[in-house]
Amino acid sequence: MRRATLADVAAAAGVSVPTVSKVLSGKKHVSAATRDKVLEAVRAFGYEAPRPPSTPRAGIVDLLIDGLGSPWAHVVVDGAERAAARWGFSLVVTSSARPDFDLRRWIGIMRKRGTDGIVLVLSRAGAEEIRAIEELLHVPLVLLDPVGQRDPSLSAVGATNWNGGVLATTHLLELGHTRIGFIGGPLDVQCTLDRYEGYLAAHRTFGIEPDPGLTRYGDFLVSGGKRHGAELLDRDDPPTAVFAGSDLQAAGVYQAAAERGVRVPAELSVVGFDDSPLCATMSPPLTTVRQPLDEMANEAVRLISEELTHPRGPAGTRIELATTLILRASTAPPAGG
């Protein structure tokens, strides 16, 4: 007979898996009626938690991340490593981009050796994957720079992406640009939507209607920035400025511009997003929106530490850290402006 899962209990009680997890671990912020429904479903299914709350501390926080090849990822890992040491943990990093990565096998390793908490940095993590991690591990889970709408009971740390979009676009508008290209990340990623909404909001503030033909959705990578930058620059009416959704995409725009003899910033202004170490090495150095990745990593580990120390809080915490515009040399007024 198949062993009952948290998903079975949640479905029977008419609640989410994180809510069942909160009830079983004794956390607050669950109504008495909901708690009773969950406990009734637990009894009906004979559900037994695979890992009770009394499990001894492992002294380890795990970071599961899409890949380690970008400057963005390096900053996140470095910040998480320093934060883990600050809060008394060792950090173990796993890349889900490895060809042999299997989520269920990874979860099995976690259950065998133990972990005190997990920071997820996965651009493609869906509800099913997160449910599997919660259901089988029963440890604090924090989403870092989450992509998409998440269950409000899950803790998450992000940045003010909408405001970052406003800052980048306002800077270009104040310089006199009225044809500003936008190259975001994937359309189904929440930070892309937030940054684009900021781009639109800045245009509305200036009473300018942006040309929808200047919007592209990429992959946050250099290749995507180059491809979409080329498309924009090859138009009969190209933009005089581009707001790229990542520093890597901005680097791709630089490449597309160089191949066409378009000078940055004399003929094309470019703004990136992240403020990765790449920015200062680009020629010219890149104006960008800084999201405080090291601080975000610290907050994610801190939330894990707090939830372990105070089991009845703070699951479901949502933290957004401020974005700031970092001015360098890649932006200028439009030629002839």
Side-chain angles (χ1 to χ4, degrees):
M1 182 177 179
R2 184 176 71 88
R3 179 177 178 177
T5 67
L6 273 187
D8 295 328
V9 174
V15 299
S16 68
V17 169
T19 298
V20 175
S21 182
K22 289 171 80 170
V23 170
L24 294 178
S25 57
K27 294 190 176 82
K28 58 183 180 180
H29 307 310
V30 179
S31 70
T34 298
R35 189 180 303 276
D36 288 344
K37 286 195 298 183
V38 169
L39 293 177
E40 182 179 346
V42 167
R43 289 190 292 269
F45 279 97
Y47 175 78
E48 295 182 7
R51 193 177 176 200
S54 59
T55 301
R57 297 272 184 99
I60 294 172
V61 166
D62 279 272
L63 176 73
L64 182 60
I65 187 169
D66 272 342
L68 299 170
S70 71
W72 184 94
H74 291 167
V75 176
V76 168
V77 172
D78 182 63
E81 187 171 33
R82 286 186 282 108
R86 182 179 301 118
W87 298 101
F89 302 102
S90 295
L91 182 73
V92 177
V93 180
T94 303
S95 170
S96 65
R98 293 195 329 248
D100 62 341
F101 179 80
D102 178 83
L103 181 65
R104 289 282 174 173
R105 185 170 64 182
W106 179 79
I107 290 173
I109 294 171
M110 297 302 99
R111 293 182 66 185
K112 185 175 180 179
R113 73 145 156 84
T115 183
D116 291 322
I118 297 168
V119 178
L120 282 184
V121 196
L122 301 178
S123 62
R124 296 300 180 188
E128 184 177 340
E129 288 84 357
I130 293 174
R131 184 183 304 118
I133 293 171
E134 285 198 308
E135 182 177 306
L136 296 172
L137 294 179
H138 289 279
V139 296
L141 174 66
V142 180
L143 307 180
L144 181 62
D145 198 23
V147 298
Q149 300 298 327
R150 296 298 179 195
D151 190 303
S153 66
L154 289 174
S155 294
V157 180
T160 52
N161 287 292
W162 179 87
N163 186 60
V166 170
L167 291 172
T169 311
T170 296
H171 170 60
L172 294 170
L173 290 165
E174 287 177 341
L175 287 172
H177 296 278
T178 57
R179 291 189 57 75
I180 302 170
F182 175 83
I183 304 177
L187 184 56
D188 60 348
V189 171
Q190 187 63 39
C191 66
T192 295
L193 302 178
D194 292 342
R195 293 168 194 176
Y196 182 61
E197 286 299 321
Y199 164 89
L200 295 177
H203 278 86
R204 287 194 294 269
T205 299
F206 279 73
I208 295 173
E209 186 68 29
D211 181 352
L214 299 182
T215 295
R216 298 289 187 278
Y217 296 102
D219 52 12
F220 291 132
L221 302 178
V222 174
S223 57
K226 182 178 180 179
R227 180 174 68 257
H228 292 301
E231 291 176 3
L232 293 175
L233 292 175
D234 286 343
R235 289 173 58 99
D236 293 335
D237 51 354
T240 61
V242 171
F243 168 33
S246 72
D247 296 336
L248 289 177
Q249 287 189 144
V253 174
Y254 271 40
Q255 292 180 6
E259 289 180 357
R260 287 157 179 76
V262 176
R263 295 170 296 154
V264 176
E267 297 169 290
L268 179 71
S269 288
V270 182
V271 178
F273 205 104
D274 289 332
D275 195 29
S276 66
L278 173 69
C279 298
T281 67
M282 294 171 64
S283 181
L286 180 67
T287 292
T288 191
V289 176
R290 179 179 186 268
Q291 56 173 339
L293 298 172
D294 50 352
E295 297 171 38
M296 290 160 60
N298 180 75
E299 286 299 293
V301 178
R302 182 185 65 80
L303 286 177
I304 288 173
S305 179
E306 285 195 7
E307 191 166 344
L308 289 168
T309 305
H310 307 288
R312 293 183 176 274
T317 301
R318 170 71 191 189
I319 297 174
E320 284 196 344
L321 301 181
T323 49
T324 52
L325 183 67
I326 305 299
L327 294 175
R328 295 192 178 93
S330 65
T331 53

